[in-house]
């Protein structure tokens, strides 16, 4: 638990903050952007970190896109030069989990996807056959007699569920029917209950997982996203020279991003108030989550307050 939380609100503190770390791991939604809006001075801050020879990586619980698709999202926001290898998404973490931590045989066991293309593409990249997901036939109105998805496919051995911004009753009913099969495993990409937008907050992946879990009577599924250390293990496997004490996690949620950094033994955590959390969470501790050692109104404050 951080003994005290330092606000990045002046040049001296920002300089000390930057000198304390060699690597910055950035959450995306609520830190870099909010929905389709790039947050202020994000590009400038990332450029400053590169100029200071800092390592910059991205760790997002948003499973809607594959890492490859995320490189295009970065570029569309004008954040150039970000490679797939610098992005760690919960869809990627879930593919790692399915490949290395389950007994599924990707040569014959299929996966039913509740979610978007990111999950499908990352699971397919590690060799799994996926059904459901973005199949356009799921956009047809729910009709028990007409649906092509029931009865369930006996080769499906797992449901992987993530954020679906095109959620509908057809998708819920078919996924529910797979979850009613006791032998079918159940895995969640992440647990974020809300999804930051601009200006409105939205229901997140975790709320959709809760709906599926409650309706099917299943136990809570394993979570592959932050704060699970699966993604951090993948980061340190890909970049073995990183020193945990010289890494800082930058996020907008206490129960995912900041917990992820603290549990992972990272040297620092910066909470930005441009996403889900508001300043009250730093004084009203009834949430029960550990606090970061730094906070800022927004990431762009690092650039705005920095001076040579
Ligand atoms: O509901 C969700 O899936 C999350 O709110 C969202 O995708 C979080 O993404 P992150 O803030 O980890 O980039
Ligand atoms: Mg976020």
């Amino acid at each position: 638990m951080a003994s005290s939380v330092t606000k990045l609100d002046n040049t001296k503190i920002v300089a000390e903050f930057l000198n304390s770390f060699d690597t910055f791991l950035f959450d995306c939604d609520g830190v870099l952007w909010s929905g389709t809006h790039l947050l202020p001075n994000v590009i400038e801050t990332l450029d400053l970190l590169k100029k200071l020879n800092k390592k910059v990586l991205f760790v997002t619980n948003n499973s809607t896109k594959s890492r490859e698709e995320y490189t295009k999202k970065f570029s569309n926001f004008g954040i150039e030069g970000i490679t797939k290898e610098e992005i760690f998404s919960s869809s990627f973490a879930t593919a790692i989990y399915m490949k290395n931590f389950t007994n599924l045989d990707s040569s014959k066991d299929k996966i039913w996807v509740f979610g978007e293309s990111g999950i499908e593409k990352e699971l397919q990249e590690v060799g799994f056959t996926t059904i459901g997901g973005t199949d356009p036939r799921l956009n047809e109105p729910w009709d028990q007699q007409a649906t092509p998805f029931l009865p369930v496919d006996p080769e499906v051995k797992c449901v992987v569920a993530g954020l679906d911004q095109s959620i509908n009753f057809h998708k819920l009913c078919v996924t529910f029917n797979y979850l009613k099969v006791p032998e079918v495993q159940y895995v969640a990409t992440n647990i974020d209950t809300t999804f930051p937008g601009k200006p409105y907050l939205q229901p997140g992946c975790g709320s959709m997982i809760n709906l599926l879990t409650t309706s099917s009577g299943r136990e809570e599924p394993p979570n592959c996203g932050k704060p699970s250390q699966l993604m951090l293990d993948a980061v340190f496997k890909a970049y073995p020279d990183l020193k945990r004490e010289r890494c800082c996690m930058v996020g907008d949620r206490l129960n995912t991003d900041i917990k992820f950094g603290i549990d992972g033994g990272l040297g620092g955590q910066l909470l930005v108030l441009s996403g889900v959390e508001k300043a009250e969470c730093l004084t009203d501790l009834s949430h029960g989550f550990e606090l970061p050692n730094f906070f800022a109104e927004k990431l762009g404050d690092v650039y705005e307050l920095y001076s040579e």
Side-chain angles (χ1 to χ4, degrees):
M1 162 80 82
S3 53
S4 70
V5 190
T6 302
K7 184 171 187 179
L8 301 189
D9 61 3
N10 68 62
T11 300
K12 180 172 180 294
I13 286 180
V14 165
E16 287 167 4
F17 168 74
L18 291 173
N19 289 337
S20 304
F21 307 107
D22 304 325
T23 303
F24 291 84
L25 284 74
F26 286 102
D27 172 43
C28 297
D29 290 317
V31 174
L32 306 179
W33 50 67
S34 215
T36 55
H37 296 264
L38 183 69
L39 291 167
N41 284 322
V42 163
I43 293 177
E44 294 80 355
T45 300
L46 295 178
D47 288 346
L48 169 63
L49 293 176
K50 289 206 177 122
K51 196 176 82 176
L52 298 173
N53 295 318
K54 305 294 184 182
K55 182 89 186 140
V56 171
L57 297 170
F58 302 93
V59 187
T60 176
N61 270 2
N62 192 314
S63 62
T64 61
K65 290 177 178 51
S66 65
R67 290 163 294 156
E68 194 61 49
E69 289 169 322
Y70 256 110
T71 60
K72 296 181 183 61
K73 178 162 187 171
F74 275 98
S75 177
N76 292 341
F77 272 127
I79 306 173
E80 299 300 344
I82 307 300
T83 65
K84 170 180 175 178
E85 291 68 32
E86 293 167 322
I87 299 169
F88 295 80
S89 62
S90 63
S91 46
F92 176 53
T94 304
I96 293 171
Y97 179 84
M98 295 308 299
K99 191 75 183 163
N100 303 334
F101 296 93
T102 67
N103 58 359
L104 263 66
D105 174 350
S106 57
S107 66
K108 61 185 178 62
D109 299 334
K110 293 179 188 172
I111 295 175
W112 173 266
V113 172
F114 175 92
E116 301 187 26
S117 62
I119 304 175
E120 294 170 312
K121 289 186 165 66
E122 294 288 356
L123 287 173
Q124 288 158 11
E125 190 166 321
V126 295
F128 283 103
T129 301
T130 66
I131 61 171
T134 58
D135 188 319
R137 296 174 297 170
L138 282 167
N139 299 326
E140 295 303 315
W142 170 240
D143 177 336
Q144 297 210 6
Q145 278 66 48
T147 180
F149 298 103
L150 292 179
V152 297
D153 178 339
E155 292 180 331
V156 168
K157 301 300 181 203
C158 186
V159 164
V160 168
L163 177 64
D164 188 334
Q165 299 167 96
S166 307
I167 188 173
N168 65 34
F169 198 52
H170 196 161
K171 295 176 180 180
L172 287 169
C173 290
V174 178
T175 305
F176 169 86
N177 276 277
Y178 274 108
L179 291 176
K180 294 303 282 181
V181 178
E183 300 73 40
V184 169
Q185 296 181 47
Y186 179 28
V187 174
T189 62
N190 60 295
I191 56 165
D192 305 55
T193 51
T194 54
F195 176 29
K198 193 167 178 67
Y200 306 111
L201 209 50
Q202 303 154 125
C205 175
S207 299
M208 299 178 184
I209 302 289
N210 291 343
L211 189 164
L212 291 168
T213 304
T214 304
S215 58
S216 63
R218 293 291 287 256
E219 291 294 310
E220 214 170 278
N223 160 40
C224 299
K226 299 167 287 184
S228 155
Q229 294 298 299
L230 199 58
M231 240 184 310
L232 200 55
D233 294 346
V235 168
F236 285 106
K237 184 175 176 195
Y239 300 96
D241 296 339
L242 298 184
K243 292 181 176 43
R244 288 178 186 257
E245 67 277 8
R246 297 288 299 172
C247 292
C248 182
M249 178 69 204
V250 183
D252 68 307
R253 292 186 79 108
L254 288 176
N255 70 325
T256 55
D257 306 314
I258 304 307
K259 180 169 172 52
F260 178 74
I262 292 171
D263 291 359
L266 302 191
Q269 304 82 31
L270 168 63
L271 176 73
V272 292
L273 301 177
S274 51
V276 170
E277 305 294 2
K278 297 307 166 206
E280 293 72 30
C281 77
L282 300 167
T283 49
D284 173 1
L285 306 187
S286 57
H287 50 65
F289 294 109
E290 293 189 73
L291 296 182
N293 33 21
F294 299 97
F295 81 100
E297 295 300 329
K298 64 182 186 304
L299 176 62
D301 289 355
V302 171
Y303 168 77
E304 293 169 16
L305 292 166
Y306 179 80
S307 72
E308 299 286 348

